[in-house]
Structures are given as structure tokens and as C-alpha cells.
Amino acid sequence: MSEKLRLAVLVSGRGSNLRALSDAIDAGRCAADIVSVVADRPCEALGFARERDLATRVVRPKEHADRAAWDAALAQAIGDAEPHWVVLAGFRRIVGDAVLSRFGGRIVNVHPSLLPAFPGLHAPRQAIEANVRVAGCTVHLVDAGVDTGPILAQAALRVAADDDEGSLHRRIQALEHRLLPEVVDAIATGSLQTRERIRWVESFGGALLDGD
Ligand code: GRF
């Protein structure tokens, strides 16, 4: 059997995307292995990782002299597990040069908007405030900017008249939980290069745009 795609997953929060990835792997829908979960703070995601017996590391900024030192320690912690790819799954910091120079082109992020709309913090709030009718999530490669790297896949939904920030974010997250494992599986199976981006949108689009 060929080696599965080794993933390091970076987290800061609740960890629902980590859980979705882990569940998809267990269900045979994502040909990857989570070899390390790295956090920048104590968080619920770490608790989940420990429950599943996943290796964990915590690299806290305040334990390092400056941002460059933290970034170097983060790159080292990720690299120790020898991952093929790195997944930012709710990681609430910008990775710096040390991480990018070592893993650049092999880092994906999941973001709760249809980029390039609404990069940065509170994307669902930005979508509600802008009164958009269609929202969604994006999986993209990470570069030095904030949510600016090449888009790999998007999934969309219709914003309901009574959606608020919380309800919209919850519905977008349900999309993330489907899209992220699918993209990781496409990377693992080598089909990412040959599938056109739009296929992911269409594979969710019909049903999701008509209902939830
Ligand atoms: C997700 O909405 C993701 O798009 C954003 O942060 C949130 C993380 O949620 N980058 P979780 O920690 O995976 O539950």
C-alpha cells in the first residue's frame, strides 16, 4: 500500500475542522494521516487531538523572544513530524518566513468566505454587514499575505433572510467540514492538479444553493 499523505494540522480553537478531517480519514474518505497537531495556545482542538491519540505540540508566542523566534520554533515543531503537507484549520496566526520557506506551496488554509471577498477576521460578520446573498468557504494555498494565496476550492450557500453572524458561520462551517477533507483527499491522490477548481463548487452548488 502506498504511503498516505502525512499531515500536520495547525489549530487554535474549537477544532471542528480537525475533527472533520479525522472523521473523514477514519471513514476512508480522505487518504491522509494526521501525524501532528500543533497549536499556538491551549484550546479545545488540542483536547480532541489527545482524545484521538494524535501527537500534539504547543508553540506559544509568549514563550519566544520575538515573532521570528516563534516562527522558527513553529517550523521546527511542524517539521519534527515530517509532514508532507500542512493544514491550517482555524489557526489564528499568520505563519512567517521560517514556516513558508520550509513548507511553502504545501500549506492549505480554510477560510469562512468566498475569497477574495472578506479576508481576515470575522468573515461571516463581514458578509452579513455587506448584505451579500451568497456566502461560503474557501480552501486555498497559503502565501505571505492574509488569505491571499491561490484558491483551490470553494463551496457556496445562499444567505437566509434571518441569518445572523452565528447562524451563517455555523452553516459555512458545515460546508468547510465537507470541502476540506475533499481537497486534502484530492491532494493525497494526486488529482488536485487535474481537477478544475470549478468542479468543487458545482459538486456542492446545485443542492446547497437550493436549500441548505
Ligand atoms: C473556521 O471557520 C475556519 O474557516 C476559520 O476558523 C474557523 C475554525 O473553526 N479559519 P474550528 O476551530 O475548525 O472549529
Side-chain angles (χ1 to χ4, degrees), residues 36-67:
S36 181
V37 175
V38 184
D40 64 327
R41 66 192 79 183
C43 58
E44 211 178 319
L46 275 179
F48 168 78
R50 290 179 184 129
E51 266 171 36
R52 293 270 169 118
D53 283 331
L54 301 171
T56 59
R57 297 282 291 270
V58 184
V59 185
R60 303 175 83 158
K62 68 179 181 194
E63 288 166 7
H64 296 87
D66 55 22
R67 187 179 146 70

Side-chain angles (χ1 to χ4, degrees), residues 6-8 10 38 71-88 95-108 141-143:
R6 295 171 62 85
L7 298 179
L10 273 54
V38 184
D71 187 54
L74 182 66
Q76 181 68 46
I78 298 168
D80 285 348
E82 301 184 353
H84 299 127
W85 278 71
V86 178
V87 177
L88 307 190
V95 295
D97 288 345
V99 171
L100 286 173
S101 62
R102 193 151 165 193
F103 302 103
R106 295 182 291 132
I107 309 174
V108 292
L141 291 176
V142 171
D143 63 12

